[in-house]
Amino acid sequence: IPHNQTEPPGPALSPAQAIARMTVPPGFSVELVASEPDLVNPVAMAFDARGRVWVTESLEYPRLSAGPGRDRIRILEDTNLDGTMDRVTDFADGLNIPSGIAVGHGGVWVANSPDILFLQDPDGDDKADSRQVVVTGFGRDDTHELPNSLTWGPDGWLYGLNGVFNRSRVTDPVSGRVHEFTCALFRIHPRTHEFQLFAEGTSNPWGVAWNSVGDAFVSACVIDHLWHLTET
């Protein structure tokens, strides 16, 4: 019996059965794009310029120790444009709770604590041929709060979030400055790999979006859920 439950879970549902049981607001609908076994334990996703979806999966969660793991990045593609992902490609494996992903500047950026990685595929076969550590030093004290939500900002930098109980110590590879922090919105320059803290605060943030004039809005759990962060 699961924690905080009074009885065993019901039988597993097919994707169609699960969708039939969902209730959504008027004007909304749910469509099936991908399901198990093509996708297992998804954590983060990003779209590329071809409309493909890059997804990180984690079987290791909530493992605290760093080092190689069973987790991977998969590329989902709709080759016949019918709205369903019909091609699945394993891009990279050996990861350990990859909690954020972004595509750009000739490669794929992945939060794989303690590292932010940059993976490249120069021969175009959809397999990662190189793996570079961009910055390192993120904690694994609380794997609920690993670096996450890698998102391109309006200034061209790559932004990400880190949680309050995941103490981190990251050295900027450009200036040599050491940043010690917990909950924060950080950013990385995609060419120089300069690392900065944009703002500190919230609790366990997962998700950042920008409006048309460059304001950052962050979602967080436990406390007030939506934050407008300014550079501080």
Side-chain angles (χ1 to χ4, degrees), residues 94-119:
L95 300 171
N96 184 352
I97 316 184
S99 48
I101 187 169
V103 180
H105 290 270
V108 181
W109 307 74
V110 183
N112 188 68
S113 190
D115 307 323
I116 303 294
L117 302 174
F118 183 55
L119 282 59

Side-chain angles (χ1 to χ4, degrees), residues 144-181:
H144 287 70
E145 306 193 351
L146 297 176
N148 65 83
S149 304
L150 297 184
T151 305
W152 295 108
D155 53 3
W157 290 57
L158 181 65
Y159 284 76
L161 296 163
N162 188 70
V164 66
F165 295 121
N166 193 49
R167 187 167 299 278
S168 301
R169 190 176 191 270
V170 176
T171 300
D172 172 19
V174 175
S175 68
R177 178 180 177 182
V178 177
H179 297 273
E180 297 192 39
F181 59 95

Side-chain angles (χ1 to χ4, degrees), residues 31-33 77-87:
E31 297 178 0
L32 178 65
V33 175
E77 186 174 5
D78 175 12
T79 62
N80 58 10
L81 303 181
D82 68 349
T84 301
M85 300 298 175
D86 51 73
R87 177 182 294 168

Side-chain angles (χ1 to χ4, degrees), residues 60-223:
E60 295 291 352
Y61 175 84
R63 172 181 161 186
L64 293 177
S65 61
R70 299 170 293 166
D71 299 341
R72 64 190 175 190
I73 298 170
R74 300 195 114 177
I75 308 171
L76 307 182
E77 186 174 5
D78 175 12
T79 62
N80 58 10
L81 303 181
D82 68 349
T84 301
M85 300 298 175
D86 51 73
R87 177 182 294 168
V88 181
T89 305
D90 289 343
F91 177 73
D93 57 18
L95 300 171
N96 184 352
I97 316 184
S99 48
I101 187 169
V103 180
H105 290 270
V108 181
W109 307 74
V110 183
N112 188 68
S113 190
D115 307 323
I116 303 294
L117 302 174
F118 183 55
L119 282 59
Q120 288 187 289
D121 172 28
D123 59 10
D125 65 351
D126 290 333
K127 304 289 184 182
D129 300 308
S130 67
R131 186 175 301 191
Q132 177 186 5
V133 176
V134 177
V135 293
T136 192
F138 286 93
R140 294 184 69 94
D141 295 334
D142 186 344
T143 51
H144 287 70
E145 306 193 351
L146 297 176
N148 65 83
S149 304
L150 297 184
T151 305
W152 295 108
D155 53 3
W157 290 57
L158 181 65
Y159 284 76
L161 296 163
N162 188 70
V164 66
F165 295 121
N166 193 49
R167 187 167 299 278
S168 301
R169 190 176 191 270
V170 176
T171 300
D172 172 19
V174 175
S175 68
R177 178 180 177 182
V178 177
H179 297 273
E180 297 192 39
F181 59 95
T182 58
C183 46
L185 177 63
F186 62 85
R187 65 182 175 186
I188 300 170
H189 193 282
R191 298 195 185 279
T192 67
H193 296 174
E194 181 180 356
F195 179 90
Q196 297 180 354
L197 292 183
F198 182 81
E200 295 184 75
T202 79
S203 60
N204 180 9
W206 283 80
V208 57
W210 304 86
N211 67 9
S212 60
V213 295
D215 296 317
F217 292 88
V218 170
S219 60
C221 69
V222 181
I223 53 177

Side-chain angles (χ1 to χ4, degrees), residues 34-36 38-45 53-59 61 72 74 76 98-99 206:
S35 61
E36 294 179 340
D38 292 335
L39 193 61
V40 180
N41 292 5
V43 178
M45 60 179 281
V53 186
W54 298 66
V55 182
T56 68
E57 300 178 329
S58 182
L59 299 173
Y61 175 84
R72 64 190 175 190
R74 300 195 114 177
L76 307 182
S99 48
W206 283 80

